[in-house]
Amino acid sequence: PEGLSVIAMPSITQNGRHSRIVTRLNAPLVTTAKSDVDILVTEHGLADLRGKTLAQRAAAILGIAAPTFREDLERFSHQAFD
């Protein structure tokens, strides 16, 4: 009852061509509501999402994205939240 919801995933696809952290979700593929995820983990660290605003959640998730894709993800994030 007082546990945490943790999702661990690689930050990129197997072939390394695409980020698994994306700026938009395709509804049929989403299986977990954003409010149900407490901690997201990739090989680049963890993002504690509890109690954060959408902008704060985005910033935390960007911090664990693959460095190769961060610039593009950050650009979209600034457009969405500024």
Side-chain angles (χ1 to χ4, degrees):
E2 295 182 32
L4 296 174
S5 171
V6 178
I7 294 179
M9 60 183 248
S11 65
I12 58 174
T13 58
Q14 269 187 325
N15 63 14
R17 293 183 184 167
H18 304 283
S19 176
R20 289 192 179 262
I21 296 174
V22 296
T23 57
R24 293 183 186 260
L25 298 175
N26 295 328
L29 300 176
V30 177
T31 58
T32 303
K34 66 183 175 195
S35 59
D36 290 340
V37 179
D38 295 317
I39 298 174
L40 182 60
V41 181
T42 72
E43 67 275 22
H44 301 289
L46 69 87
D48 186 343
L49 306 176
R50 296 174 287 171
K52 291 187 169 36
T53 65
L54 287 177
Q56 291 169 331
R57 290 169 69 89
I61 293 170
L62 284 172
I64 61 167
T68 308
F69 297 101
R70 283 185 193 162
E71 187 176 325
D72 288 339
L73 293 168
E74 285 175 2
R75 188 173 18 262
F76 175 82
S77 178
H78 287 294
Q79 291 172 355
F81 295 109
D82 286 346

